[in-house]
Amino acid sequence: MRNAALRIALPLVLLLAGATSALAEGAEADFKAAYAAAEAANKQAGSLRNQWTTTAATLAAAKKAADAGEFDKATASAREAEALAKASIFQATSEKERWKDMEIR
Amino acid sequence: MKLRSAIHLASAALALALLALAASSVIAADKVDPVADAKAFRKFFTDKFPKVKLEDFVNGPYSMDEGLHKQWEEKEQFPPYEFSLEMGKEMFSKPFKNGKSFEDCFPNKGIGIRQNYPYFDEKEGKVITLELALNRCREANGEPPLSYVRDEMAALTAYMAFTSRGKPFDIKIPNDPRALQAYENGKEYFYTRRGQLNFSCATCHVQSPGERIRAEVLAPALGILNAMPIYRSEWSGMGTTSRRFTTCNSQIRGVPFNPQDDEYRNVEYYLSYVSNGLPISGPGARP
Amino acid sequence: MTTTGNEFPATRRLILQGAGAVALVGLGNLPFLAPVLAAANDKYPEEAFKAKNEADAIKALYGKAAEASDKVKMDAPEIAENGAVVPVAVTTTLADVTSISFLVHENPVVLVASYKIPAGTVPSVANRIKMAKTSNIIVVVEAGGKVYSATKEVKVTVGGCGG
Amino acid sequence: MASTIRVRATSSGETTEVQALIQHPMDSGFVKDAKGETIPPHFIQQLTFEYDGKPVFSADWGGGVSKDPYVKFAFKGGKKGDDLKVSWVDNKGATDTTTAKIQ
């Protein structure tokens, strides 16, 4: 009985352990990808001389969550940072022409 | 949600921009004409605030609000920038290690010349602000540069402004395409929306002067630099033009540039030029 | 970026130098300073500055409660341009004024300043005070052994893209 | 180096109006710095104006008085050219004193 139980339980445990670590690795990889994308977008915003403070703050929050092992939260923050950076790029690009609408003439 | 508010702002701004576009019926004016700009700029403000005398625009929010004006008069009885002014006066003539002083770097020993800055240096092809000139003077004499946003720099410019009070801004654009370009770049910077709040300099200081943003009455862009540097109660201390620009940027959630980067020098050039003729009133005291 | 710092290093330096200067001539200064401060007041009213509400502070200062009087005139803004610097002045037509004090209801320390008015000094004071938030300002005048007050609300709002 | 005290005393013949501005942080002890640490209290506690050997005005201050404090008052008498002595002491025991000429 005991042996049989072990025989079933052990592989199960191994399997589970393997699955969670694979999951964790997947989450970390997701985070890394999301963070890299956000950083790249923010860098582009920087080359357009139009970074937002909120992008930097959200990137920092992502890094902090990742350091604490909370990869889901970190990935969400990184994606938000990327969206912010992209919005700042959009702003910089569209303002290249639109600023003239504001001008006093 | 931060992002959502950004999108809201962006769409609101877009709507505004479309409105503006429709209203101004798209005047095609690609030729840079600083003289016409300055005239239109001044007219915009004098039309918007017919009761404010032209020379009073240099007093910023105090020219727009009676309650504030009274508090200002009380402050000016013994203005909070007095200590800074005194420190600046002392620093200005104090010899560097090599025996020279700031006096040796400026025409007329630095007295009564604030209204000529910034100027366009045709040799270098760039705009030279007073703050930059002060640090260059130090470096030319083997002294380390001062922080552009701290008290010592504010004290020096306070003293230089004080000795120039009442003199009208006299910014020149030499006949050099690079000067015109610097001016135009400054203008673009002034009107370009940035930061997550999607504000340009003009959003606050052209469209809304005299109005309160949260509690503060916004200063009109016309004459805004004439009062620099300023003692702000908000800061409990003095601030240079550099400090004003960088904090404006972070307040609208934009990452500020380094003080005296091209953008800031150019926008100072533009803003000073369109305030030509208005008197230097610095150092100023502001809420 | 260090653009939003509130410090004013010059202040500190000046004060330290002031203190140093006093220390250098220390002995020479003491006989002069001590009698001035002693004659002026003798004692700093610690208790009044610890009071949590204006009634306690007034009691600690004057030993009695204040009554409202329209002979105490306060000049303060409706809206303070900044809570850090609120100009407030008081003047009175009351005779034999011996003291004038300023209190702010919502401040963590309600008593802000208390002035002694010797005979021959005009019963009128202007100063600049801090207010933590919108609050009543209470000015108290001690005259002829009685204590009078006037109250005014001043709105305080801070922040934003101003200046 | 300059004094921490600036005084303007002007005689109108009958009265002398006095304005003073003092350079002092006046930290109340309730404010936090950029790092979130409380700035310890540091404020002037007593300020005295003396004319002709007698105090004409004196202040007891708490941390609720503004940074770089300002005060204005007036006293009867006071001749042009006479001295007005001003001194302060803060909660850390630092002190400064100056003498101004009435104008």
Side-chain angles (χ1 to χ4, degrees):
Chain A
M1 266 312 272
R2 251 180 94 219
N3 267 351
L6 254 183
R7 230 172 283 144
I8 302 166
L10 198 65
L12 242 177
V13 167
L14 285 175
L15 197 76
L16 276 171
T20 48
S21 85
L23 261 177
E25 267 165 35
E28 190 171 353
D30 282 355
F31 160 73
K32 281 187 175 156
Y35 192 84
E39 267 194 324
N42 198 33
K43 207 173 157 197
Q44 195 190 340
S47 70
L48 294 166
R49 305 283 281 166
N50 194 39
Q51 287 176 328
W52 291 358
T53 54
T54 33
T55 311
T58 314
L59 271 172
K63 188 135 205 326
K64 205 175 156 197
D67 288 346
E70 299 171 57
F71 289 111
D72 286 353
K73 200 174 149 193
T75 306
S77 289
R79 290 197 177 126
E80 191 188 338
E82 188 191 1
L84 287 166
K86 288 204 160 146
S88 71
I89 293 166
F90 171 79
Q91 181 187 50
T93 323
S94 62
E95 282 296 313
K96 276 280 158 221
E97 289 305 318
R98 275 183 39 205
W99 70 266
K100 287 181 185 138
D101 307 337
M102 299 263 277
E103 191 189 344
I104 299 173
R105 289 171 192 273
Chain B
M1 183 77 199
K2 285 171 193 158
L3 184 59
R4 198 162 302 151
S5 68
I7 291 165
H8 274 308
L9 272 165
S11 57
L14 191 69
L16 269 177
L18 286 172
L19 268 175
L21 212 68
S24 66
S25 70
V26 198
I27 306 159
D30 284 318
K31 203 176 127 269
V32 184
D33 185 349
V35 176
D37 284 355
K39 211 176 145 197
F41 200 80
R42 185 190 282 204
K43 185 175 183 304
F44 174 88
F45 285 98
T46 48
D47 285 357
K48 191 171 170 122
F49 301 100
K51 283 190 204 145
V52 178
K53 279 191 238 144
L54 182 65
E55 65 271 22
D56 273 350
F57 279 97
V58 300
N59 298 320
Y62 297 121
S63 61
M64 325 244 110
D65 183 289
E66 219 174 295
L68 282 182
H69 197 274
K70 190 159 176 273
Q71 292 177 63
W72 177 53
E73 280 176 356
E74 278 157 15
K75 269 200 307 195
E76 285 290 319
Q77 289 195 6
F78 224 135
Y81 50 74
E82 282 239 344
F83 293 107
S84 176
L85 200 51
E86 200 156 311
M87 175 167 125
K89 188 177 178 183
E90 212 168 284
M91 283 175 74
F92 204 79
S93 54
K94 194 178 162 200
F96 302 129
K97 279 187 218 87
N98 68 2
K100 297 201 167 179
S101 76
F102 285 112
E103 289 180 346
D104 300 310
C105 295
F106 292 93
N108 197 33
K109 292 190 168 182
I111 305 296
I113 58 162
R114 159 72 185 103
Q115 69 283 359
N116 302 323
Y117 289 81
Y119 69 93
F120 189 84
D121 185 322
E122 292 186 77
K123 264 184 248 143
E124 273 188 75
K126 67 188 254 187
V127 172
I128 309 294
T129 64
L130 188 61
E131 291 169 15
L132 184 64
L134 281 160
N135 261 349
R136 286 190 164 184
C137 172
R138 285 181 62 88
E139 289 176 303
N141 287 290
E143 301 282 329
L146 299 170
S147 159
Y148 283 108
V149 294
R150 291 199 172 271
D151 296 332
E152 284 85 359
M153 182 58 83
L156 289 168
T157 55
Y159 172 65
M160 293 184 83
F162 188 76
T163 65
S164 314
R165 272 192 176 179
K167 299 200 172 186
F169 242 139
D170 188 16
I171 307 304
K172 294 189 170 68
I173 300 176
N175 190 13
D176 180 328
R178 294 170 304 171
L180 212 55
Q181 191 58 50
Y183 167 89
E184 183 69 2
N185 290 349
K187 179 163 72 177
E188 176 175 341
Y189 184 88
F190 182 78
Y191 288 107
T192 295
R193 279 166 284 231
R194 63 191 67 250
Q196 195 192 13
L197 296 188
N198 202 35
F199 275 27
S200 68
C201 307
T203 311
C204 279
H205 300 288
V206 170
Q207 297 178 342
S208 326
E211 289 168 27
R212 285 176 187 269
I213 279 221
R214 297 196 260 168
E216 297 188 53
V217 176
L218 292 164
L222 180 67
I224 198 167
L225 294 180
N226 299 51
M228 291 291 168
I230 48 174
Y231 182 102
R232 284 206 68 193
S233 303
E234 168 97 20
W235 295 336
S236 321
M238 295 295 294
T240 54
T241 303
S242 288
R243 184 173 182 183
R244 183 64 283 188
F245 285 153
T246 50
T247 48
C248 268
N249 277 167
S250 35
Q251 278 168 327
I252 56 164
R253 300 188 191 161
V255 175
F257 305 127
N258 292 317
Q260 303 298 323
D261 272 3
D262 285 347
E263 284 90 345
Y264 290 143
R265 279 183 293 100
N266 291 342
V267 76
E268 186 174 339
Y269 192 42
Y270 166 73
L271 261 181
S272 304
Y273 180 85
V274 292
S275 296
N276 262 350
L278 272 73
I280 296 296
S281 67
R286 292 290 181 269
Chain C
M1 289 295 315
T2 45
T3 47
T4 49
N6 270 336
E7 67 277 87
F8 196 175
T11 311
R12 260 167 229 282
R13 204 181 55 233
L14 273 177
I15 282 155
L16 286 178
Q17 286 182 350
V22 168
L24 277 178
V25 281
L27 287 173
N29 250 336
L30 272 176
F32 159 70
L33 262 178
V36 169
L37 290 173
N41 187 5
D42 350 34
K43 223 170 138 228
Y44 183 68
E46 293 278 353
E47 287 309 310
F49 279 106
K50 279 182 195 150
K52 293 271 181 281
N53 61 59
E54 53 264 30
D56 288 355
I58 294 168
K59 196 103 197 285
L61 280 175
Y62 303 111
K64 59 188 78 160
E67 56 179 279
S69 167
D70 58 7
K71 287 181 176 145
V72 177
K73 301 261 187 262
M74 181 182 352
D75 188 8
E78 300 287 329
I79 304 171
E81 61 163 36
N82 191 301
V85 190
V86 185
V88 187
V90 64
T91 178
T92 179
T93 51
L94 291 159
D96 302 324
V97 173
T98 44
S99 168
I100 293 177
S101 298
F102 295 78
L103 301 93
V104 177
H105 179 75
E106 294 284 349
N107 275 10
V109 171
V110 289
L111 179 60
V112 173
S114 184
Y115 299 94
K116 292 225 161 29
I117 312 289
T121 292
V122 180
S124 169
V125 180
N127 60 10
R128 298 171 188 159
I129 66 175
K130 293 179 209 164
M131 294 179 69
K133 53 179 141 176
T134 296
S135 169
N136 276 340
I137 297 182
I138 303 105
V139 296
V140 179
V141 174
E142 185 190 43
K146 286 192 167 178
V147 185
Y148 305 91
S149 70
T151 301
K152 181 178 176 178
E153 191 194 57
V154 172
K155 289 193 179 61
V156 173
T157 34
V158 215
C161 96
Chain D
M1 190 67 196
S3 165
T4 60
I5 308 171
R6 295 285 174 290
V7 193
R8 271 184 220 148
T10 358
S11 165
S12 66
E14 201 143 299
T15 58
T16 298
E17 188 188 81
V18 183
Q19 287 176 289
L21 188 72
I22 302 165
Q23 194 169 31
H24 198 284
M26 297 301 284
D27 292 319
S28 66
F30 294 98
V31 177
K32 291 195 166 80
D33 64 13
K35 288 181 198 139
E37 285 164 33
T38 302
I39 302 166
H42 184 202
F43 56 85
I44 294 173
Q45 288 189 317
Q46 294 190 300
L47 166 73
T48 308
F49 295 80
E50 195 193 9
Y51 172 71
D52 200 17
K54 284 189 228 89
V56 287
F57 190 72
S58 65
D60 290 323
W61 279 349
V65 172
S66 300
K67 177 181 190 286
D68 295 344
Y70 164 84
V71 71
K72 177 167 119 177
F73 70 97
F75 65 95
K76 291 187 184 108
K79 279 201 294 288
K80 281 191 207 309
D82 279 3
D83 284 348
L84 184 74
K85 277 180 196 160
V86 188
S87 35
W88 59 257
V89 57
D90 72 16
N91 65 324
K92 294 183 178 177
T95 157
D96 196 7
T97 183
T98 194
T99 301
K101 289 254 182 283
I102 296 173
Q103 292 176 338

